[in-house]
Amino acid sequence: MRSHSYNKREKILVSIRIILADDHPFVILGVRAALEMQAGITVVDQATDPVSLIECLRSTPCDVLVTDLSMPDHSFAVDDGLNLVRRIRSCWPQLRIVVMTTLTNPAILRAIVSDGAVSMVGKAESMDELRQAVLAARDGHAYLGRSIIEALAHPQDCECERPPAPRLTGKQAEVVRLLVSGQSISDIAAALGCDRRTVTRQKREAMAKLGVTNDPGLFSYVRAYGILNF
């Protein structure tokens, strides 16, 4: 695992084709401009949600994917950010991925960086940090930004105080269990014999009770507090 001191082959010898994904257009504009200032880096396509990202990957060859982890998908065709990364790794195993994130919870960060083909930088870090991550990814190395290293080195005291057990219904608890085990919304709907919209509703209701607002937050909460014994 490479740290923020990556200096190998700083000079780009071959062109790097990048697909950029983020649900905030201004983020895409800024990141694209900063990366393309570096000779040899070309953003060949961009996406603003999981569905369009999968379409880009299917139609546009690239060397490195630079993506936000938390992109909402209102069509429910693609599941949470962690499963999205896993799906991409499964379908395109040679593709290197650089994840941009605002997350600082060690539990969710460890789940992401456990894959040696996935690099990660904090969104608050400099564009030079992102550039180094892209270079490292191009060379086949995993890269962690400064803020990610710091978060992993100084884990939060999440085990010291466990929150009160949330009162989830049996169905809500089952949906959360299956999600954390890696199953998709479609898989869960098939297993429980219900419509995928019902599963999505139960998931949202569980998230509201747990006090989380997005999928990474749900995974982080469950993994940090171990609340699967409802």
Side-chain angles (χ1 to χ4, degrees):
M1 182 74 66
R2 296 280 170 156
S3 71
H4 61 265
S5 61
Y6 181 83
N7 290 309
K8 184 180 179 182
R9 292 177 64 186
E10 280 289 318
K11 183 177 180 180
I12 298 178
L13 302 179
V14 295
S15 177
I16 304 176
R17 300 166 299 176
I18 290 178
I19 287 179
L20 178 60
D22 195 287
D23 60 315
H24 295 94
F26 284 112
V27 172
I28 287 184
L29 287 173
V31 172
R32 179 169 193 155
L35 288 177
E36 290 190 330
M37 287 179 63
Q38 176 70 49
I41 292 181
T42 302
V43 177
V44 294
D45 212 339
Q46 61 188 50
T48 56
D49 58 69
V51 172
S52 61
L53 172 56
I54 295 298
E55 292 174 351
C56 287
L57 291 170
R58 286 172 175 164
S59 61
T60 309
C62 72
D63 306 301
V64 178
L65 166 63
V66 177
T67 181
D68 183 16
L69 186 68
S70 306
M71 293 187 294
D73 173 34
H74 302 295
S75 71
F76 310 124
V78 179
D79 302 314
D80 62 84
L82 284 176
N83 279 335
L84 174 62
V85 170
R86 289 168 181 160
R87 174 178 174 180
I88 292 171
R89 290 284 298 124
S90 176
C91 294
W92 293 274
Q94 301 305 313
L95 179 64
R96 309 298 294 194
I97 301 174
V98 177
V99 171
M100 304 181 295
T101 185
T102 58
L103 292 175
T104 58
N105 188 293
I108 197 74
L109 296 180
R110 281 193 295 269
I112 299 168
V113 303
S114 62
D115 188 327
V118 179
S119 300
M120 180 175 288
V121 296
K123 278 194 170 183
E125 297 182 52
S126 69
M127 286 297 176
D128 183 65
E129 195 86 16
L130 177 59
R131 180 185 66 85
Q132 291 190 59
V134 168
L135 293 179
R138 183 275 314 272
D139 286 345
H141 304 295
Y143 181 98
L144 299 182
R146 290 178 175 85
S147 66
I148 306 300
I149 293 172
E150 182 176 351
L152 291 172
H154 302 91
Q156 302 167 355
D157 279 330
C158 54
E159 289 133 5
C160 295
E161 289 185 32
R162 178 172 173 159
R167 295 184 177 180
L168 300 189
T169 66
K171 287 293 186 182
Q172 290 167 354
E174 185 65 14
V175 166
V176 172
R177 285 193 189 97
L178 294 174
L179 281 168
V180 174
S181 72
Q183 294 195 40
S184 69
I185 295 291
S186 297
D187 291 338
I188 296 171
L192 299 181
C194 60
D195 188 89
R196 66 198 313 271
R197 287 185 172 83
T198 300
V199 174
T200 299
R201 176 177 54 79
Q202 292 165 342
K203 170 188 166 187
R204 286 178 171 171
E205 291 172 351
M207 289 171 64
K209 291 182 179 180
L210 295 175
V212 297
T213 58
N214 54 40
D215 294 318
L218 175 63
F219 277 67
S220 176
Y221 189 103
V222 172
R223 286 171 177 159
Y225 296 113
I227 58 168
L228 292 182
N229 295 320
F230 297 97

